[in-house]
Amino acid sequence: MYNLILFGPPGSGKGTQSDKIVEKFGFIHLSTGNLLRQEIKDKTPLGMEAKNFMDKGQLVPDEVVIGMIDSCLENNPDAKGFLFDGFPRTVAQAEALDKLLSYRKTSINKVIALNVDEDELVKRLLKRGETSSRSDDTDESIIRNRFAVYKRETEPVAEYYKEQNKLEVITGVGTIDDIFRAISSRIQKELNGAHSVSAQ
Ligand code: B4P
């Protein structure tokens, strides 16, 4: 089993790259952002609670997203691997994920972080806001708040995985295909390494 986290600030391209990665490598895609937006669309109580936080550019409480991930892991016992996109976003979520995976006798193999500067991110999100129905992408002050939350709550997660020697930072600026090639080659290298170890 191979478990990958795609990490980075809002708008760094996690969702964009995840779609291509799952198509190529066949992992199960777990995007907490997508799962939460689906709950909102279905008007569930969880979705209604989450919307209050997301509309302000705040994080949804840890216990809500950890519970969602737990049930997704539960529902996919035969997965060859998971791609975590937008999760974990706090150190508490990262610790919970480690526990959930170790309970299933597996762990995170790699964390790939997309590095993009803030002005480029604001430009991308405002552009997406013109065409998507996402209320958190249309107002620059809400976008800036998402970055402030990212710096305060999410950046320490990178340090958490760096200490475990699992973090690899790559540039998230350039064409979508070039960035995808850079990510793919890192994953392929890891998968080849895992095979040669298990073949010994
Ligand atoms: P997410 O859905 O995770 O979304 P995101 O961070 O806004 O975007 P992402 O990085 O996926 O960017 P994308 O590829 O779409 O989170 C939304 C909200 O949900 C959070 O603010 C939070 O409230 C809540 N939430 C989610 N997970 C949570 C958790 N674990 N805990 C608590 N709360 C949680 O790309 C953005 C745009 O850039 C697109 O328009 C794309 O076309 C463009 N783009 C991508 N790559 C590009 C490139 N190389 N060049 C130019 N443009 C590019």
Side-chain angles (χ1 to χ4, degrees):
M1 195 164 188
Y2 184 83
N3 300 304
L4 173 73
I5 295 173
L6 200 54
F7 185 84
S12 55
K14 302 181 295 287
T16 305
Q17 296 296 333
S18 291
D19 289 343
K20 297 170 82 68
I21 296 168
V22 293
E23 194 187 342
K24 176 162 180 174
F25 294 98
F27 305 137
I28 302 274
H29 183 194
L30 294 187
S31 157
T32 39
N34 289 351
L35 290 167
L36 290 166
R37 281 186 288 277
Q38 188 59 48
E39 296 279 345
I40 293 173
K41 208 166 146 216
D42 295 342
K43 297 196 166 52
T44 65
L46 189 156
M48 293 302 95
E49 190 199 347
K51 189 173 184 336
N52 284 326
F53 294 97
M54 291 167 78
D55 281 353
K56 294 184 202 125
Q58 294 167 357
L59 293 181
V60 173
D62 286 339
E63 58 275 18
V64 174
V65 284
I66 293 166
M68 280 189 336
I69 291 289
D70 191 16
S71 43
C72 289
L73 296 177
E74 196 70 43
N75 292 336
N76 290 284
D78 300 322
K80 63 186 256 196
F82 290 96
L83 169 59
F84 297 93
D85 158 14
F87 179 89
R89 262 177 155 95
T90 63
V91 171
Q93 290 179 21
E95 288 168 349
L97 179 60
D98 274 353
K99 283 201 190 111
L100 291 176
L101 293 176
S102 99
Y103 176 71
R104 291 170 173 84
K105 310 244 174 310
T106 184
S107 59
I108 291 298
N109 295 78
K110 186 114 202 125
V111 180
I112 296 181
L114 294 168
N115 187 18
V116 182
D117 72 63
E118 192 167 317
D119 287 342
E120 167 71 14
L121 294 169
V122 175
K123 245 188 345 205
R124 285 185 191 179
L125 293 176
L126 286 172
K127 188 158 172 249
R128 182 171 66 185
E130 287 168 13
T131 51
S132 82
S133 52
R134 283 184 55 168
S135 45
D136 56 345
D137 279 348
T138 41
D139 181 329
E140 187 165 339
S141 68
I142 290 175
I143 292 175
R144 296 274 177 202
N145 187 42
R146 286 162 66 190
F147 294 132
V149 170
Y150 174 80
K151 287 204 179 91
R152 196 174 62 236
E153 315 247 356
T154 308
E155 262 181 4
V157 175
E159 198 52 40
Y160 177 85
Y161 289 109
K162 194 174 170 196
E163 281 166 14
Q164 297 184 18
N165 284 323
K166 292 180 177 172
L167 181 74
E168 186 150 357
V169 182
I170 69 165
T171 177
V173 183
T175 71
I176 288 170
D177 284 341
D178 281 347
I179 296 163
F180 177 59
R181 266 191 287 279
I183 295 174
S184 286
S185 73
R186 300 310 194 282
I187 299 174
Q188 200 56 62
K189 210 168 86 193
E190 286 277 309
L191 290 173
N192 294 345
H195 285 143
S196 60
V197 168
S198 60
Q200 280 168 8

